[in-house]
Amino acid sequence: MKVFEKVKIGNLTFDNRIGVPPMCTYLCETHDGVANDFHTAHYTTLAMGQPGFITQEATAVNEHGHISENCLGIYNPRQREMLKRIVDNVHHCGTKIGIQLNHAGFKNLFGNDRFGPMDDEGVIGLNVNQIQAIVHDFEYAAMWARELNYDFIEIHGAHGYLINQFLSPLSNQRDDLYGENRCLLLEQITEVCVKMFEGCVSVRLSAEEYEPNGLHMQDFPPIINRLKALGVSMISVSSGGLNKSPIYSYPLYQMPYAKYLKEHTDLPIMGVGLITTENEIERILEKRDCDLILLGRKLLRDPFFLLRWRDHIGMLSKDDVPEYLYRGIHTHS
Ligand SMILES: Cc1cc2nc3c(=O)[nH]c(=O)nc-3n(C[C@H](O)[C@H](O)[C@H](O)COP(=O)(O)O)c2cc1C
């Protein structure tokens, strides 16, 4: 596999194999989940760097789904009006954009009700009707994402948020159907999202929970097979979220999980985690350890990394970017 080659996933064709993973900006200063000029500028800048795609930061599907009071939402018209501007600007740069749909569960720091699989201090254990209401919120969010013209949606099943809380034996000891099948909530959400979005649906999973009694990569192939059967197009492999001690991260620290799931499933896999150099990217793709590579912090600090790389290897022409940017990139002094 080569980095600068087109790749078809579901009904989408990405121009190259590099994506931007979802990264919260925590900059909704109005605390209403509405994006502002900063968000538009931020995503437009990332788009001008011409990654294959951008995944917009975790965006709440309802008012108790926010991670923090500074996070985006998609559940009211004012929020959607500003999201439309982000999508249109990114598309204007010729880049694809997806949106990560999230419910933070008991990791909601917004200050309103905190819900989770089980009753706990300050946490309301969800009953079946409340669970169904959240499934509907995802369904609506997927429908709006389609209306707003996002190229794909990503269901946030990782990092210890609501879906991960239901998936994990660390946080789900329910004695009903949602405890017998800890994947049920993810399956129900996936089903409605696939139906409503009618396009490419990604799911992000924490393939290692860093706790002896938590989930490990070997637990995921059956889950991913079920997601494939439900119509999911690609999987983003991350880790952690419910761990008690901090995660030790080092270059490529999550790639073993991505490689394992690439070998043991047949959905396209996104790998991520302190991947920062041309050499690392080329080696991962040569070995076919995953299909798509996500560069997070690397592209935050260096959004034009891919343009400079292409220029260096003679794969950037004047017509690929606006003239002023070409003059900035194509300079060797
Ligand atoms: C500022 C910041 C915000 C993040 N927000 C999200 C998020 O909204 N959703 C998510 O799934 N991961 C989030 N992450 C994790 C990243 O998507 C990515 O997996 C992680 O940074 C590792 O990749 P990297 O080493 O290339 O940055 C965030 C990371 C950072 C640095």
Side-chain angles (χ1 to χ4, degrees):
M1 291 187 220
K2 299 260 181 261
V3 58
F4 297 115
E5 66 183 0
K6 289 191 190 297
V7 49
K8 194 167 180 330
I9 308 278
N11 63 341
L12 286 182
T13 302
F14 299 131
D15 282 343
N16 61 61
R17 292 186 182 270
I18 303 292
V20 182
M23 288 180 285
C24 284
T25 50
Y26 307 110
L27 275 165
C28 290
E29 282 150 2
T30 40
H31 299 176
D32 52 6
V34 178
N36 52 46
D37 286 346
F38 167 81
H39 295 88
T40 315
H42 167 63
Y43 285 106
T44 306
T45 304
L46 287 171
M48 290 184 78
Q50 296 189 1
F53 61 93
I54 294 170
T55 320
Q56 184 186 299
E57 64 197 87
T59 302
V61 298
N62 66 23
E63 46 291 283
H64 46 78
H66 290 259
I67 300 171
S68 85
E69 59 196 9
N70 296 319
C71 289
L72 296 175
I74 188 175
Y75 51 88
N76 74 38
R78 279 201 317 124
Q79 294 165 347
R80 294 196 288 278
E81 193 184 320
M82 288 305 288
L83 293 179
K84 177 100 179 75
R85 286 207 212 170
I86 295 176
V87 176
D88 290 349
N89 276 285
V90 169
H91 282 164
H92 187 70
C93 299
T95 301
K96 300 218 161 34
I97 180 166
I99 179 171
Q100 188 183 52
L101 302 177
N102 189 38
H103 190 292
F106 61 64
K107 286 177 93 174
N108 152 20
L109 306 172
F110 199 95
N112 54 10
D113 285 338
R114 287 166 67 212
F115 293 100
M118 320 279 298
D119 282 328
D120 202 355
E121 211 185 310
V123 179
I124 304 159
L126 289 161
N127 65 35
V128 173
N129 288 339
Q130 290 168 318
I131 293 174
Q132 286 313 304
I134 290 176
V135 173
H136 279 302
D137 292 331
F138 273 91
E139 184 174 12
Y140 273 101
M143 182 189 77
W144 287 316
R146 189 190 66 209
E147 282 179 8
L148 292 169
N149 218 11
Y150 282 98
D151 298 290
F152 65 95
I153 56 173
E154 177 165 283
I155 299 169
H156 199 350
H159 300 170
Y161 298 114
L162 187 73
I163 294 172
N164 192 172
Q165 290 160 23
F166 271 75
L167 269 180
S168 176
L170 298 169
S171 43
N172 180 356
Q173 295 98 34
R174 293 173 70 104
D175 54 13
D176 65 354
L177 281 179
Y178 290 92
E180 278 163 37
N181 172 10
R182 285 184 273 100
C183 200
L184 184 59
L185 176 63
L186 174 58
E187 289 171 358
Q188 292 180 333
I189 287 174
T190 301
E191 216 171 337
V192 295
C193 284
V194 166
K195 187 166 138 254
M196 271 303 162
F197 188 67
E198 295 178 338
C200 181
V201 175
S202 161
V203 175
R204 194 164 222 206
L205 296 166
S206 281
E208 171 57 54
E209 295 203 300
Y210 305 104
E211 294 288 337
N213 298 327
L215 295 169
H216 308 288
M217 59 187 177
Q218 294 79 2
D219 296 310
F220 283 88
I223 296 175
I224 292 174
N225 289 340
R226 283 212 289 282
L227 294 175
K228 185 179 177 210
L230 291 171
V232 165
S233 298
M234 56 184 182
I235 300 289
S236 175
V237 179
S238 190
S239 69
L242 294 170
N243 44 297
K244 295 202 177 76
S245 8
I247 299 169
Y248 173 58
S249 55
Y250 47 88
L252 280 56
Y253 68 106
Q254 294 177 141
M255 275 310 298
Y257 317 130
K259 179 177 180 335
Y260 178 86
L261 293 173
K262 167 85 181 145
E263 282 165 3
H264 289 84
T265 67
D266 51 12
L267 273 182
I269 298 288
M270 292 179 250
V272 68
L274 273 183
I275 303 167
T276 57
T277 69
E278 292 91 333
N279 191 30
E280 287 166 351
I281 294 166
E282 280 173 338
R283 292 268 302 139
I284 291 169
L285 293 176
E286 262 164 37
K287 291 191 291 160
R288 309 179 83 83
D289 288 348
C290 63
D291 302 276
L292 298 161
I293 292 181
L294 304 173
L295 304 181
R297 288 162 288 183
K298 172 70 184 170
L299 291 181
L300 283 186
R301 62 180 171 270
D302 189 359
F304 300 144
F305 163 67
L306 295 173
L307 294 182
R308 287 191 289 103
W309 185 3
R310 278 169 56 193
D311 187 50
H312 185 68
I313 59 176
M315 286 186 74
L316 188 74
S317 90
K318 271 187 178 164
D319 301 333
D320 293 334
V321 283
E323 187 195 335
Y324 82 90
L325 188 53
Y326 185 78
R327 286 169 65 178
I329 298 289
H330 188 72
T331 174
H332 301 291
S333 53

